[in-house]
């Protein structure tokens, strides 16, 4: 089975996922839209992952296997991006599955509207069998509003459809020198280049949560990582900010995005400090972030600096609503 002209690529990074790979592959092969290719990047697995993918690829020409030395999820996804030959790309984790019409609905939305990004809701399944559905507050075609994106969209790379021309134009890749939050940098940097997006109301992605004691997030929350990991995690929004300033010329656009990135910087700093055991390390990190805040403030409007300095999300939301009301009155 295979297609000569795939319309969309699916990147699947794989590291020791032999228990979940069959379900992931099966969910792709059951898609109602057949014109896809799946790029499975085996990141140095030491279990049967390579064997499982190779067997599937031998029967289905739409499945491609790329083997590489272990380098982490960022390097695996970057390897997949380098291999994409289609106009659109989405990402799926090897321990997750997607609905049978996920690819079709994302692709149809992108083609029919010409939008720069498609978002779909996710269903989270925990280790106890419970599930919860993430719902967006707005659906359909809309402008890429920074406040909407940062308030309603998960920062992970999955459950999204991207345009490869935007990714390649700005050379967007995931930083490989970060143990965590590298996907945050990629996704939020892509957001800053997006003009329009389409939100699909249905949940089309099933995120299967597994509490793995060897995972990075488990070690992060158990205070087992070196200080540099917590610092880089806190500074993820700062890296996106630098990309924004380098690529964007409109001062008002920079101000809006910078304020939302600042809010994330603050949240991620508090989160990192929460897991740092050393009081000295917490003070050191906050000192670094204070300097970052000062640099970001230089690119904000007076209005956004006022919101930034208050640091109260509820007050910030009230000020945002007042600003939108004022803008509405000016347009009349």
């Amino acid at each position: 089975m295979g297609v000569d002209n795939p319309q969309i690529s699916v990147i699947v990074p794989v590291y020791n996922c032999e228990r979940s790979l069959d379900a992931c592959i099966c969910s792709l092969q059951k898609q109602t839209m057949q014109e896809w290719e799946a790029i499975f990047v085996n990141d140095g697995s030491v279990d049967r992952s390579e064997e499982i993918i190779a067997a599937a690829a031998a029967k289905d020409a739409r499945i491609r296997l790329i083997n590489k030395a272990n380098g982490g999820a960022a390097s695996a996804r970057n390897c997949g991006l380098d291999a994409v030959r289609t106009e659109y790309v989405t990402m799926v984790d090897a321990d997750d599955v997607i609905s049978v019409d996920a690819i079709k609905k994302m692709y149809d939305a992108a083609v029919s509207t010409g939008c720069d990004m498609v978002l779909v809701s996710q269903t989270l399944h925990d280790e106890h069998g419970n599930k919860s559905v993430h719902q967006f507050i707005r659906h359909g075609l809309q402008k890429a509003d920074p406040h909407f994106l940062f308030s309603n969209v998960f920062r992970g790379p999955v459950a999204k459809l991207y345009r490869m021309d935007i990714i390649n134009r700005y050379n967007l890749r995931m930083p490989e020198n970060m143990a965590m939050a590298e996907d945050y940098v990629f996704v939020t940097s892509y957001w800053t280049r997006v003009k329009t997006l389409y939100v699909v109301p249905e949940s089309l992605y099933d995120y299967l949560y597994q509490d793995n004691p060897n995972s990075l997030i488990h070690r992060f929350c158990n205070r087992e990582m070196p200080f540099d990991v917590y610092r880089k995690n806190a500074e993820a929004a700062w890296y996106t900010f630098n990309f924004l300033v380098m690529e964007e010329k409109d001062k008002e656009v920079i101000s809006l995005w910078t304020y939302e990135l600042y809010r994330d910087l603050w949240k991620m700093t508090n989160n990192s400090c929460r897991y740092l055991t050393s009081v000295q390390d917490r003070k050191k990190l906050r000192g670094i972030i204070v300097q970052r805040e000062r640099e970001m403030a230089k690119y904000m409007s007076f209005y956004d600096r006022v919101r930034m300095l208050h640091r109260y999300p509820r007050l910030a939301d009230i000020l945002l609503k007042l600003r939108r009301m004022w803008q509405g009155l000016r347009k009349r």
Side-chain angles (χ1 to χ4, degrees), residues 14-19 21-22 42 45-55:
V14 179
Y15 179 69
N16 293 347
C17 297
E18 62 179 9
R19 291 185 299 176
L21 265 173
D22 283 333
N42 177 37
S45 297
V46 295
D47 63 359
R48 294 181 54 252
S49 293
E50 179 184 351
E51 178 186 337
I52 293 169
I53 302 166

Side-chain angles (χ1 to χ4, degrees), residues 71-128:
S75 67
R77 290 192 176 105
N78 286 343
C79 183
L81 286 170
D82 292 339
V84 170
R85 301 172 294 188
T86 57
E87 182 178 356
Y88 298 100
V89 63
T90 188
M91 300 186 189
V92 175
D93 286 342
D95 50 1
D96 296 336
V97 297
I98 58 176
S99 301
V100 294
D101 54 356
I103 291 179
K104 177 175 175 55
K105 288 189 174 180
M106 288 192 292
Y107 178 79
D108 286 351
V111 172
S112 63
T113 65
C115 66
D116 298 324
M117 187 178 196
V118 179
L119 306 172
V120 301
S121 296
Q122 303 177 56
T123 300
L124 171 64
H125 302 258
D126 67 20
E127 67 272 27
H128 304 296

Side-chain angles (χ1 to χ4, degrees), residues 141-207:
L141 183 64
Q142 53 200 283
K143 291 183 178 180
D145 175 75
H147 184 68
F148 169 79
L149 286 166
F150 278 93
S151 300
N152 293 276
V153 184
F154 290 120
R155 314 298 196 265
V158 301
K160 301 169 180 68
L161 182 73
Y162 310 91
R163 291 175 55 125
M164 279 305 299
D165 60 339
I166 294 177
I167 290 174
N168 290 332
R169 186 187 314 154
Y170 297 102
N171 194 29
L172 291 172
R173 294 296 187 272
M174 299 191 186
E176 298 182 19
N177 64 339
M178 300 174 66
M180 296 181 66
E182 74 287 343
D183 51 355
Y184 172 99
V185 176
F186 173 82
V187 171
T188 54
S189 294
Y190 186 89
W191 284 355
T192 66
R193 301 298 92 208
V194 167
K195 301 302 180 184
T196 57
L197 55 91
Y198 189 93
V199 180
V200 178
E202 300 97 332
S203 174
L204 303 176
Y205 191 99
D206 287 275
Y207 182 91

Side-chain angles (χ1 to χ4, degrees), residues 238-302:
W238 167 257
Y239 302 140
T240 304
F241 163 75
N242 282 325
F243 169 79
L244 168 70
V245 172
M246 179 177 64
E247 296 292 345
E248 182 58 54
K249 307 302 180 186
D250 189 314
K251 291 183 178 179
E252 184 175 352
V253 171
I254 290 177
S255 182
L256 288 172
W257 282 105
T258 299
Y259 174 72
E260 297 298 339
L261 286 166
Y262 159 74
R263 290 182 70 176
D264 264 16
L265 178 77
W266 184 39
K267 293 174 187 175
M268 296 172 81
T269 301
N270 287 336
N271 187 51
S272 291
C273 284
R274 176 183 172 190
Y275 296 113
L276 283 169
T277 55
S278 166
V279 174
Q280 184 177 0
D281 281 345
R282 289 197 291 268
K283 288 183 178 179
K284 180 181 177 182
L285 180 58
R286 292 193 185 280
I288 294 171
I289 297 304
V290 166
Q291 182 60 40
R292 303 304 192 208
E293 292 172 351
R294 290 171 182 163
E295 292 297 317
M296 294 173 82
K298 295 177 183 178
Y299 291 85
M300 293 189 202
S301 66
F302 173 77

Side-chain angles (χ1 to χ4, degrees), residues 210-246:
Q210 298 179 5
D211 188 12
N212 180 0
N214 296 315
S215 69
L216 289 173
I217 188 64
H218 184 94
R219 293 165 58 198
F220 181 93
C221 295
N222 281 275
R223 306 176 179 183
E224 300 173 3
M225 308 292 277
F227 172 78
D228 191 56
V229 171
Y230 295 92
R231 177 184 65 81
K232 287 185 176 180
N233 180 72
E235 289 189 296
W238 167 257
Y239 302 140
T240 304
F241 163 75
N242 282 325
F243 169 79
L244 168 70
V245 172
M246 179 177 64

